[in-house]
Amino acid sequence: MSDSKLQSLGGVIVATALPYREDAAAPAGLAVDHDRYAEHCRWLVDNGCRGVGPNGSLGEYSSLTDDERRRVARTAVEAVGRDGVVVVGVHGPGSHQARHWAQIAAEDGADGVLCLPPTMYRANRGEIIAHFEAVASVGLPVMVYNNPIDTKVDLTPDLLAEIAQIDGVVAVKEFSGDVRRVLEIRERAPGLEVVAGADDVTLEALLMGATGWFAGFPNVFPAESALLYELATAGKLEEARALYEPLVAAFRWDSRTEFVQAIKLGMEQVGRYGGPCRPPRGPLVPEHRAAVTADMDRAIAALARRRAA
């Protein structure tokens, strides 16, 4: 579906979890299961999500070899075809690495890219702007990613207003958790799409004018997540809240250190394949596993009651 003229990166785009299979010859004894990954991408789009986002933090991009990282993005593009958008994570320590991954994404048919500030360096304002200028120069629509928890760089609304002046920067994935920022970003950078980044403040962000959700738990609940987005953006607050509230306890895991393992466990609980993670992520400790299971059980039960009503 690649089209360099695509401007909107809104809707529900799923930051896809990545399945592995055991293989003693692969890094950490785990090889990417591309067949399962392709099926998962297809399932998400078939269940109402607008598209997928390979090679994000949830996709464990930093644990992949360069060859694996490229093939994962290609797999997503081929699986989705013209039925959805593919927004590829191009995060890198420096602008030359991020720009390289953006060029690769463009060659492989991506519709847009998601990009953090420099990932291993607390960049200053000028360096941040230069970083995004380099990525945008490739020509694909760019969604900048504000995740001050992981990067220690905060793309504040005033800084985003400056970044939004870069040709090709069309959206921000806002993961600060501060929903007050949605309106301030819209005020300071009215042409920039604000995309909810943290699942457990999604409804609040959408009600304040966010036009997208770059999401984690739709790996588990794609159809219900697409419905939540539709209800919220249509202003159907009562219906949206009734759907959202039973899910929030599970959604909170999207903002915790163990979010990848938690979402993969959630996938297992609804009959999907989640599987293990590569280092540095290990298995959930027993108390976390029990907590995720309980939160997911409540969400699954609530959705079952909803379907039966």
Side-chain angles (χ1 to χ4, degrees):
M1 190 173 176
S2 180
D3 179 355
S4 61
K5 295 180 181 179
L6 176 74
Q7 289 301 303
S8 172
L9 294 182
V12 180
I13 298 175
V14 187
T16 43
L18 189 65
Y20 297 103
R21 55 180 173 79
E22 291 188 5
D23 182 343
L30 295 169
V32 176
D33 191 329
H34 290 279
D35 290 341
R36 267 199 173 114
Y37 183 61
E39 187 275 334
H40 185 58
C41 290
R42 190 71 235 175
W43 180 71
L44 295 171
V45 171
D46 287 347
N47 276 275
C49 296
R50 185 180 178 216
V52 297
N55 292 336
S57 302
L58 184 52
E60 302 177 68
Y61 78 93
S62 59
S63 298
L64 302 178
T65 67
D66 285 358
D67 288 344
E68 287 174 328
R69 186 170 172 176
R70 183 171 194 176
R71 190 177 168 195
V72 165
R74 282 178 165 174
T75 298
V77 169
E78 291 167 5
V80 168
R82 298 189 63 83
D83 297 324
V85 297
V86 178
V87 181
V88 177
V90 297
H91 320 302
S95 59
H96 57 300
Q97 291 113 320
R99 186 177 189 277
H100 164 76
W101 286 115
Q103 288 174 317
I104 295 296
E107 290 172 14
D108 291 343
D111 298 288
V113 298
L114 175 71
C115 188
L116 285 164
T119 56
M120 300 178 69
Y121 169 68
R122 192 176 295 183
N124 64 32
R125 193 179 190 97
E127 291 163 341
I128 293 165
I129 291 167
H131 185 83
F132 290 122
E133 285 176 338
V135 171
S137 71
V138 171
L140 285 177
V142 177
M143 181 188 298
V144 302
Y145 184 5
N146 184 37
N147 187 340
I149 300 164
D150 288 344
T151 65
K152 305 299 186 289
V153 173
D154 191 0
L155 305 181
T156 55
D158 68 296
L159 177 53
L160 284 169
E162 194 168 350
I163 294 169
Q165 300 304 309
I166 301 169
D167 187 33
V169 172
V170 302
V172 57
K173 177 181 177 181
E174 225 302 299
F175 196 82
S176 70
D178 184 354
V179 295
R180 294 174 298 181
R181 291 191 177 193
V182 176
L183 287 176
E184 188 176 356
I185 294 167
R186 293 179 65 212
E187 291 163 7
R188 290 176 176 264
L192 190 68
E193 283 191 282
V194 181
V195 174
D199 289 356
D200 56 336
V201 289
T202 293
L203 179 57
E204 295 88 335
L206 291 172
L207 292 174
M208 288 300 100
T211 57
W213 177 13
F214 208 102
F217 267 91
N219 281 284
V220 183
F221 307 118
E224 293 83 2
S225 298
L227 176 60
L228 176 63
Y229 175 83
E230 292 169 10
L231 293 171
T233 52
K236 298 180 179 178
L237 175 57
E238 187 175 342
E239 293 176 67
R241 184 173 173 177
L243 174 58
Y244 180 63
E245 284 189 359
L247 305 180
V248 168
F251 282 6
R252 290 189 188 112
W253 286 95
D254 182 54
S255 299
R256 294 174 179 161
T257 302
E258 303 82 9
F259 72 105
V260 181
Q261 299 96 317
I263 288 170
K264 284 187 169 184
L265 176 55
M267 292 166 66
E268 299 272 2
Q269 286 183 250
V270 296
R272 304 290 297 167
Y273 177 81
C277 298
R278 270 190 185 163
R281 293 180 174 88
L284 291 168
V285 298
E287 55 266 39
H288 286 162
R289 187 176 184 88
V292 174
T293 299
D295 291 339
M296 278 293 305
D297 282 346
R298 287 194 294 274
I300 292 167
L303 292 178
R305 289 192 298 272
R306 179 186 176 90
R307 285 189 290 266

